[in-house]
Amino acid sequence: MPLFQHQKLDLYNSLSGKKEQFKPINEGHVGMYVCGPTVYSNVHLGNVRTFMSFDMIFRYLKHLGYKVRYVRNITDAGHLENDADVGEDKITKKARLEQIEPMEIVQRYTVDFHNILNIFNFLPPSIEPTATGHIIEQIELIKNIIDNGFGYVANGSVYFDVHKFNETHDYGILSKRKLEDLIHNTRELDGQSDKKNPQDFALWKKAEPQHIMRWPSPWSDGFPGWHLECTAMSTKYLGDHFDIHGGGMDLKFPHHECEIAQNQAAKGQTPVNYWMHANMLQLNGQRMSKSTGNIVNPDELLSGNNTFFSKAFAPSVIRFFNAQAHYRSVLDLTDDGLLSSEKGFYRLMDAINLLDELKTSETSSLDIKSWKQSCYDAMNDDFNSPILIANLFEAVKYINQIKEGSQTLNSEDLSLLKETLNVFTFDVLGLQNVTKTESGTDKLSATVNILIKLRQDARANKDFALSDKIRDELVEVGIQLKDGKEGTTFSLS
């Protein structure tokens, strides 16, 4: 019997604003769509947090025995700057700056995205469609919206008529915004004169002569609107009505709001039963921003090549840090937080690696079955990974007590303890069993930091020959030093 038949899963539905019992449309099957990256730059650490949260959710649904079709798209066209309907395509702009083809940009950063997710031990989605691979589906969707009276053509572009839609539907049902408020807070912008109203959004944009990425359509040579892409790809692979749609909190409006409107306008029904949103990642209490320099990329965090953190951190340590906060809460990335998570992670690994050394008794003094259910109860409560981790550390305490002889377990309960710990630590949370010694990360960091200190002392004593020798010989073995305002850091080259 699958686990889902006797585990009651509740999840927070952004649409209703409350926790609801999860009931899939088709028993035993789950359709889940998560908005993927726009591949015009290296994947942002905040995006990694969102995808990591949904990877955990995907893993838990699979563990419960559901057959999950997980669709996560690649946006490789149509996403304009500032998420607007005017301006330059993000990918085209990067291609112009680097003087290469847009699809070279797409390929480069799609590969980077996959590499980073592999490092963090993500499960691949069931399907990973691209926007450019579904132009035909998007054109057909636009035709339906126009035929149903909710889209209009203006100078070769096609726009969604938000005001007409709102006469019979609720535009703002997800974000809890009212169209009247949007009208009041919208200012007229240059380049929006083709729209009937500023709140209308693009379904298809006519390409300017200099626009490289373009496709033929009944209205013009152009490209699809960003919001339309996800509607087309999610419904193609999951049907017009599916279980879960996820993404970052920043996508709730306008992106997900527009998806709901498009689906209702084209198909006559609400597309999704449960909308789920992961919250933001901050860096040292502030929003991550390229403009302010308050930003760190995943590879910089993994290598230690940054000015924010005292050392490099292993991928599973970062993953463990992420799981210590609920996916719907804001997570603040700090050096102290990562160092604390690192200690906790290795403490958990040490306990798991002690399991095979424990001796069994004829009787058990611990209630392992109740402890096991507490792990399920945590995940069944809207995937509450912080409570799950607290329960895992209860098991760490048990293991140490059994080793010391103050508690006992019979062979059956010890086997249950091992199985449950392995399931939730590795299968559900997606951690990898890496000890400090095996990873070598701490020893390498400690060794290089000693050499950095010796180099600093040499420079203070004006022994520049020794200072340069330390730097140059580290370069020869693939370790690059970087001097900055906050001190010297290193990266592996």
Side-chain angles (χ1 to χ4, degrees), residues 210-244:
Q210 70 273 16
H211 198 99
I212 301 172
M213 302 180 80
R214 59 175 66 218
W215 292 266
S217 81
W219 314 286
S220 66
D221 279 2
F223 53 93
W226 171 43
H227 310 309
L228 187 77
E229 298 169 358
C230 285
T231 298
M233 289 183 281
S234 62
T235 55
K236 178 179 175 66
Y237 296 108
L238 299 175
D240 294 343
H241 187 206
F242 57 95
D243 298 300
I244 298 172

Side-chain angles (χ1 to χ4, degrees), residues 293-325:
N294 191 55
I295 192 166
V296 61
N297 287 333
D299 58 337
E300 294 170 336
L301 188 58
L302 292 164
S303 69
N305 184 22
N306 62 81
T307 58
F308 295 101
F309 301 98
S310 57
K311 61 191 291 296
F313 291 95
S316 279
V317 169
I318 298 168
R319 188 161 182 136
F320 183 72
F321 171 79
N322 183 76
Q324 286 183 292

